[in-house]
Amino acid sequence: MSQRVLTTESGAPVADNQNSATAGAGGPVLIQDQHLLEKLARFNRERIPERVVHARGSGAYGYFEVTDDVTGFTRADFLSEVGRRTETFIRFSTVADSLGGADAVRDPRGFALKFYTDEGNYDLVGNNTPVFFIKDPIKFPDFIHSQKRDPFTGRQEPDNVWDFWANSPEATHQITWLMGDRGIPASYRHMNGFGSHTYQWTNAEGEAFFVKYHFRTNQGVRSLSAEQAAEQVGKDADSHQTDLLQAIERGVNPSWTLHVQVMPAAEAADYRFDPFDVTKVWPHADYPLQRVGRLVLDRNPDNVFAEVEQAAFSPNNFVPGIGPSPDKMLQGRLFAYADAQRYRLGINHTQLPVNAPRTATVDNYGRDGLHATRYGSRQDKNYEPNSYAGPAQTGAALASPLAVHGWTGTHEAPAHTKDDDFFQAGELYRLMSADEKDRLVANIAGGLSQVTRDDVIEKNLAHFHAADADYGKRVEEAVRALRED
């Protein structure tokens, strides 16, 4: 095989990649050495701003195959036929830590999936938990600040973490998930994924349904105890990345079965829980899981930076037949996710290969900006309407319209019959086995006992008491015992 020629960024061959140009054998380096300056300048710019949340991630390509007919609920083309396959890219991630953190930590996991459909890219941005800590996006920056490194101490502070939760009782359900056995997945392959939010599906007749997505791992759910996780971090901080990479390289392709819960839109107003509150689930007894298809991961990225770090997801990337719901956290993310990528990667990040549509054609009037590569022919206009046969609107909405009423202003979400911040957390606790309860209580007490303010501890204990009397009693006793040691 012939040797490839090393070149500069402009394509010129490089004569010497081992020695800088100098003024004589022992003289100073010359500024005219274009190859040296180009290499150093590029090296200085190899890192881009990391994600504020979900900074540490792993990714893989695969496909989604429809196994069941769901055309009665949605007209989405990629879901229109049993056996239909659509190329996908997934990014798994931890949430709170930086790019240099470890994989095996107690933290929710991001489960962001891009479908390269014929009607454009569809992004489903979820987690490995069916619920979240807060229900209103205005609290999101404060929540993340409380979980990240303190600006003075430079470390995650239990006082900050638990103080925010003490003043945010709606977090009790997610805390119970996070501190339970599934709080530290053994690998990305051995955890479930959820859309978490409520979305809208619309069928060909214009009927609207609200849906929740559930990706159930076909490898089985496996998790780590706090002790196992600490040992794993010490052995390999990149344990989840290592596991995913090596499994796919061996041909052991991980897969998930997608189910959805489907609620006719007319039932939302009178449902016993607010169906758009992301701190709550829809019990399966009310809305059973219905199988849709399977997700298979079968190819590793060739370059982690180009394809995983530069992968950009936004929940506002919908396709015909799928749209948003009044879920307030989702509504906030419709803007925030895309805006974060414009900051990190630039206005033309959708033209990067990992983010660009595979089979759909992009045809609009967006031009220019940093790294613009799509500019059309010399006859194309950059405005609309025009008289030059440029692309025009279809007039067909992607999803059904949602009725709104009332006065503008800041409002608390309307309460449904069983809406409170504690009922579902108590239900989750009561579903656990005795051993699971023991570990949950120990995990919560281990963190809460480190808090220095008694009033913050008492507020949090009140939440657990409100969820379940036994739950609160056991956490209180465990915290007291640890603080007395």
Side-chain angles (χ1 to χ4, degrees), residues 147-272:
Q147 310 297 301
K148 300 283 273 188
R149 296 178 184 271
D150 182 87
F152 171 67
T153 66
R155 61 188 291 269
Q156 189 182 52
E157 293 291 347
D159 278 356
N160 299 354
V161 171
W162 289 96
D163 183 39
F164 183 89
W165 287 343
N167 292 287
S168 303
E170 70 267 30
T172 308
H173 193 185
Q174 174 72 319
I175 293 168
T176 306
W177 269 91
L178 179 62
M179 297 299 177
D181 278 1
R182 298 192 181 191
I184 313 177
S187 78
Y188 289 131
R189 296 183 298 129
H190 294 93
M191 69 181 193
N192 294 332
F194 301 88
S196 300
H197 296 292
T198 300
Y199 294 89
Q200 186 202 113
W201 277 7
T202 306
N203 65 18
E205 288 72 41
E207 295 176 293
F209 302 86
F210 293 119
V211 300
K212 283 186 175 288
Y213 294 88
H214 300 250
F215 289 85
R216 290 191 158 184
T217 175
N218 294 323
Q219 291 70 238
V221 172
R222 286 178 49 204
S223 303
L224 302 175
S225 67
E227 295 75 20
Q228 290 171 325
E231 182 180 355
Q232 184 67 267
V233 169
K235 289 180 178 178
D236 180 9
D238 304 311
S239 56
H240 289 32
Q241 164 69 12
T242 301
D243 176 84
L244 182 65
L245 173 74
Q246 293 182 351
I248 295 175
E249 288 298 291
R250 296 195 311 269
V252 181
N253 298 330
S255 66
W256 288 258
T257 300
L258 171 62
H259 297 80
V260 291
Q261 290 177 283
V262 181
M263 174 189 292
E267 297 180 12
D270 296 323
Y271 185 49
R272 58 189 175 129

Side-chain angles (χ1 to χ4, degrees), residues 275-296:
F276 311 119
D277 180 350
V278 74
T279 69
K280 296 180 174 65
V281 297
W282 302 352
H284 294 180
D286 295 347
Y287 295 99
L289 295 178
Q290 303 189 47
R291 194 175 66 176
V292 180
R294 66 184 184 123
L295 169 69
V296 179

Side-chain angles (χ1 to χ4, degrees), residues 288-351:
L289 295 178
Q290 303 189 47
R291 194 175 66 176
V292 180
R294 66 184 184 123
L295 169 69
V296 179
L297 304 182
D298 59 5
R299 179 165 67 89
N300 283 310
D302 293 326
N303 184 285
V304 172
F305 175 81
E307 296 165 276
V308 180
E309 186 63 14
Q310 292 194 130
F313 300 85
S314 176
N316 65 5
N317 288 337
F318 292 114
V319 293
I322 303 178
S325 78
D327 181 331
K328 292 178 77 172
M329 278 299 297
L330 172 61
Q331 293 282 323
R333 285 173 166 155
L334 296 180
F335 162 76
Y337 273 61
D339 189 59
Q341 305 305 341
R342 294 184 194 104
Y343 162 69
R344 295 183 62 248
L345 302 169
I347 192 63
N348 290 305
H349 66 272
T350 55
Q351 297 177 31

Side-chain angles (χ1 to χ4, degrees), residues 348-422:
N348 290 305
H349 66 272
T350 55
Q351 297 177 31
L352 295 169
V354 69
N355 300 322
R358 293 287 197 268
T359 55
T361 299
V362 176
D363 195 0
N364 59 43
Y365 298 94
R367 298 286 187 274
D368 306 336
L370 186 67
H371 301 152
T373 61
R374 188 178 67 241
Y375 44 82
S377 70
R378 65 179 65 180
Q379 289 82 22
D380 284 344
K381 303 302 179 183
N382 65 344
Y383 60 87
E384 199 277 336
N386 64 58
S387 304
Y388 293 85
Q393 66 195 40
T394 66
L398 299 185
S400 293
L402 298 172
V404 296
H405 60 87
W407 298 96
T408 61
T410 58
H411 305 282
E412 291 187 9
H416 291 231
T417 55
K418 283 197 174 180
D419 273 345
D420 68 29
D421 294 323
F422 311 111

